[in-house]
Amino acid sequence: MHIPDNYLSPETCAVMGAVMVPVLIVSVRNVKNKFSRKRLSLIGVGSALSFLMMMFNVPVPGGTTAHAVGGTLLAILLGPEAACLAIASALLIQSLIFGDGGVLSYGANIFNMAFVMPFAGWFLYTMLMKLFKFRQGKIIAAAIASYIAINLSALFAGIELGIQPLLFTNAHGVPLYAPYPLNISIPAMLIAHLTMAGIAEIVFTAGILTFIMKVSPDLLNEDAPLHSRKLSLLMLVLIPLTPFGLLASASAWGEWDPSELAKKIGYTPSGMTHGFNYHALIPGYSVSGLPDIAGYILSALAGVAIIVIFYRLLAGRRNKPGNGKAVQ
């Protein structure tokens, strides 16, 4: 679901980015007003968890791959606005450092995964909780909401890709960007997420939420501590397991590089040939000179460290004199 650069037109990217500006502004204001310094650093932990979850690629019927995101899980733990910021942070690191998702298409990617998913998941979860009032109701509600939310996100991604050949073609009617129309892009995205990605989202959401409810239920309260050792332990367990994501080695649908796409359709769209070309620091989570497994684990460590340290520094800066009222 990480749309690369040059699959969407610059106009589409600009519109999607503009749509997300007020969403991010409102989310920042909400978090600033409601979150204590201790709670603020927890957003970094949530962002790191989402980052790790997206590294676990799973095979999809048809020879492609997909992954969970954790949008509903983070919305339950942190609230939808904080979840939006957490996932947006993870997607930014993925884009700039690892080349996973485009720089110009960042607005579209955060719209799909950091806006649609957590807000839809939170809404569905709160509605279902009114029905599921038995002991395991919270887990079941979270599982159902997460499944529907990730598929809504996939639907929007399919629409964004599918309108490109309808709106942007050359004088001969050849698509300039993503070449597959809506009748192909929407089913392709939904098949991947109605099947394996949706199941992965349920497994991660229900599994992690169950773990938290048993060992660290304080994370569900607004007075959660600065740091949860048990939640950190969970991340330490997930990091060395991330190479399982390498078992599904194929590219996700709509995330092929230009040469892969050319083999599928017989040409490279000119918008890709002459488009924006950003060189990530560690492309594809691969470190030169190291085996793929080692590079993947080091990438996981680096991504988690960058995210957690950033939010720790942000929480510390908020507590300094001169930055407004210190919140303990």
Side-chain angles (χ1 to χ4, degrees):
M1 207 186 305
H2 290 67
I3 300 175
D5 279 326
N6 306 318
Y7 270 74
L8 303 180
S9 69
E11 294 88 345
T12 304
C13 292
V15 169
M16 299 306 296
V19 167
M20 283 306 300
V21 168
V23 174
L24 293 175
I25 290 175
V26 171
S27 296
V28 168
R29 288 178 178 174
N30 179 278
V31 168
K32 184 178 179 181
N33 292 333
K34 293 184 178 180
F35 273 52
S36 67
R37 176 179 61 85
K38 294 179 179 181
R39 191 76 174 170
L40 181 62
S41 65
L42 191 60
I43 299 177
V45 178
S47 180
L49 272 175
S50 178
F51 175 87
L52 291 175
M53 290 168 62
M54 287 188 273
M55 294 187 71
F56 284 89
N57 298 307
V58 293
V60 171
T64 61
T65 61
H67 56 75
V69 177
T72 301
L73 172 67
L74 295 190
I76 294 170
L77 297 177
L78 305 170
E81 293 89 354
C84 175
L85 298 179
I87 298 172
S89 301
L91 292 173
L92 183 64
I93 296 300
Q94 289 178 321
S95 175
L96 295 178
I97 307 297
F98 304 104
D100 193 5
V103 174
L104 292 184
S105 57
Y106 177 68
N109 287 328
I110 62 174
F111 177 86
N112 300 330
M113 288 182 274
F115 173 59
V116 172
M117 196 179 302
F119 280 90
W122 172 252
F123 174 78
L124 291 167
Y125 172 77
T126 55
M127 293 298 101
L128 290 171
M129 281 296 292
K130 297 178 181 179
L131 301 175
F132 302 153
K133 296 183 179 181
F134 46 91
R135 183 176 180 182
Q136 295 299 319
K138 181 174 291 187
I139 302 298
I140 296 174
I144 295 173
S146 67
Y147 181 80
I148 296 174
I150 195 173
N151 279 284
L152 284 174
S153 179
L155 173 61
F156 276 96
I159 292 173
E160 291 152 15
L161 291 167
I163 64 174
Q164 301 306 305
L166 298 177
L167 300 178
F168 306 101
T169 60
N170 62 18
H172 303 287
V174 178
L176 297 175
Y177 304 101
Y180 294 108
L182 290 167
N183 65 330
I184 295 178
S185 65
I186 291 179
M189 290 299 297
L190 287 180
I191 287 173
H193 291 82
L194 286 169
T195 54
M196 300 307 295
I199 294 173
E201 189 77 14
I202 289 175
V203 169
F204 272 109
T205 300
I208 295 176
L209 187 58
T210 299
F211 172 82
I212 290 173
M213 289 173 63
K214 288 184 176 180
V215 305
S216 192
D218 52 300
L219 291 174
L220 300 174
N221 302 321
E222 291 191 2
D223 58 348
L226 174 62
H227 186 61
S228 170
R229 293 180 179 179
K230 292 179 180 178
L231 195 56
S232 297
L233 178 61
L234 175 61
M235 287 199 294
L236 290 176
V237 171
L238 288 176
I239 288 172
L241 295 178
T242 53
F244 279 104
L246 293 171
L247 296 177
S249 57
S251 299
W253 195 93
E255 296 183 26
W256 309 287
D257 64 35
S259 61
E260 287 181 292
L261 182 60
K263 292 178 182 178
K264 295 179 181 296
I265 63 175
Y267 70 97
T268 302
S270 61
M272 295 184 182
T273 303
H274 306 290
F276 178 74
N277 188 18
Y278 172 77
H279 298 284
L281 297 177
I282 310 176
Y285 306 98
S286 177
V287 179
S288 178
L290 292 179
D292 289 344
I293 291 177
Y296 215 64
I297 292 175
L298 285 177
S299 295
L301 281 168
V304 167
I306 291 170
I307 292 169
V308 171
I309 290 172
F310 170 77
Y311 276 96
R312 285 286 191 92
L313 293 174
L314 189 63
R317 181 178 180 275
R318 183 181 179 184
N319 197 44
K320 288 182 179 180
N323 287 298
K325 184 179 179 180
V327 180
Q328 299 295 333

